[in-house]
Amino acid sequence: MRCDVWWARPAAGTPALLELLDDVERSRYDGYRREIDKFRFLTGRTLIRGVAALELGVSARDVVIDSSCFGCGKPHGKPKVDGLEVSISHSGDWVALALTEAAPVGVDVEEVRDAEVDDLARIALSPAELAVFRTVPPGDKKGAFFTYWSRKEAVVKATGKGMSVPMSKLTLTAHDEPPRVVSSEAPEVESGAVFMADLDPREGYRAGLAVFGTEEPKVTERDAADLIASLG
Ligand SMILES: [Zn+2]
């Protein structure tokens, strides 16, 4: 099984790219106040359509993305494309798309940014993880926290159930060890059936990948710049 991860920079809203959006996506795009948020959203949608078109042998404008939320039906859920499993994430200057043919997948990229990481850790980390986190030297805390966060959010995103799966129900290996689910109190996550990887750590970023199943995927990271340019 393969798992491809495509990386893109947020692309500006050219007429050709905007034309790829459906009506619901277009109103989400218009609803973002900040230009960078518009561009991240647009780039995510463009990536899904462009990569799905390559995989499925159809035109990008014929790719239908279903974003209905599993909880409330509103169009803010994990995106779904018939015939593929996809996950999208953006932070700072990066947008990532992970895709497999059939295994549920989650990807999360996080810019290591100024944040009250001690407060966030109490919400996101399990008691066992917190015990480790408290021993991290102050200068390393931000990096360690965003390593945990990106890994855990990747697992939560692979469930397709978003934040209804609390991150604190998962215990992962320590931030400076290879990523693995040690134990799970969330019924949606079976600790022995999650493959995890850290993605190419761009300077100042952390990125995690989770693929559900017992087969280890072959992970390939790709640059989507040419793909985006070909569509826009
Ligand atoms: Zn919802």
Side-chain angles (χ1 to χ4, degrees):
M1 181 189 26
R2 84 196 150 85
C3 175
D4 289 351
V5 180
W6 293 77
W7 289 100
R9 300 277 188 180
T14 63
L17 291 186
L18 288 171
E19 222 170 79
L20 289 172
L21 299 180
D22 67 26
D23 291 346
V24 173
E25 290 169 333
R26 183 58 203 242
S27 64
R28 276 180 76 181
Y29 176 88
D30 291 336
Y32 287 112
R33 294 230 309 259
R34 296 190 309 160
E35 191 165 68
I36 183 66
D37 293 324
K38 289 181 193 283
F39 293 173
R40 288 186 190 122
F41 174 74
L42 175 68
T43 304
R45 295 291 145 154
T46 304
L47 260 184
I48 296 174
R49 287 207 168 79
V51 172
L54 282 180
E55 293 286 330
L56 303 171
V58 298
S59 138
R61 66 181 60 243
D62 292 335
V63 173
V64 176
I65 305 172
D66 172 6
S67 298
S68 50
C69 167
F70 101 103
C72 70
K74 288 190 183 148
H76 56 219
K78 184 182 184 185
K80 291 181 278 294
V81 177
D82 272 352
L84 296 172
E85 290 279 342
V86 299
S87 178
I88 201 100
S89 180
H90 33 71
S91 185
D93 286 332
W94 288 107
V95 181
L97 165 77
L99 132 153
T100 72
E101 277 172 8
V105 62
V107 66
D108 189 62
V109 55
E110 297 291 339
E111 185 173 16
V112 178
R113 53 194 184 268
D114 280 326
E116 300 293 336
V117 292
D118 287 313
D119 293 344
L120 291 170
R122 280 192 285 275
I123 298 165
L125 303 191
S126 70
E129 290 170 335
L130 264 180
V132 174
F133 186 71
R134 290 205 178 97
T135 69
V136 174
D140 297 337
K141 280 215 156 169
K142 270 202 302 185
F145 174 76
F146 283 106
T147 298
Y148 274 118
W149 182 279
S150 64
R151 290 171 171 180
K152 299 186 92 171
E153 178 134 2
V155 176
V156 166
K157 288 172 84 171
T159 68
K161 297 194 173 168
M163 288 306 159
S164 68
V165 181
M167 280 192 192
S168 59
K169 299 263 185 209
L170 306 172
T171 296
L172 306 191
T173 43
H175 58 97
D176 53 359
E177 294 172 3
R180 187 169 58 78
V181 180
V182 175
S183 64
S184 165
E185 290 174 34
E188 296 85 353
V189 179
E190 217 185 306
S191 58
V194 184
F195 168 84
M196 296 194 69
D198 288 332
L199 298 170
D200 185 28
R202 320 265 166 171
E203 187 67 36
Y205 288 81
R206 299 290 185 277
L209 177 73
V211 181
F212 286 2
T214 48
E215 189 189 339
E216 181 171 333
K218 179 179 175 351
V219 179
T220 308
E221 294 183 63
R222 298 167 179 274
D223 180 349
D226 290 348
L227 181 71
I228 301 276
S230 74
L231 293 166

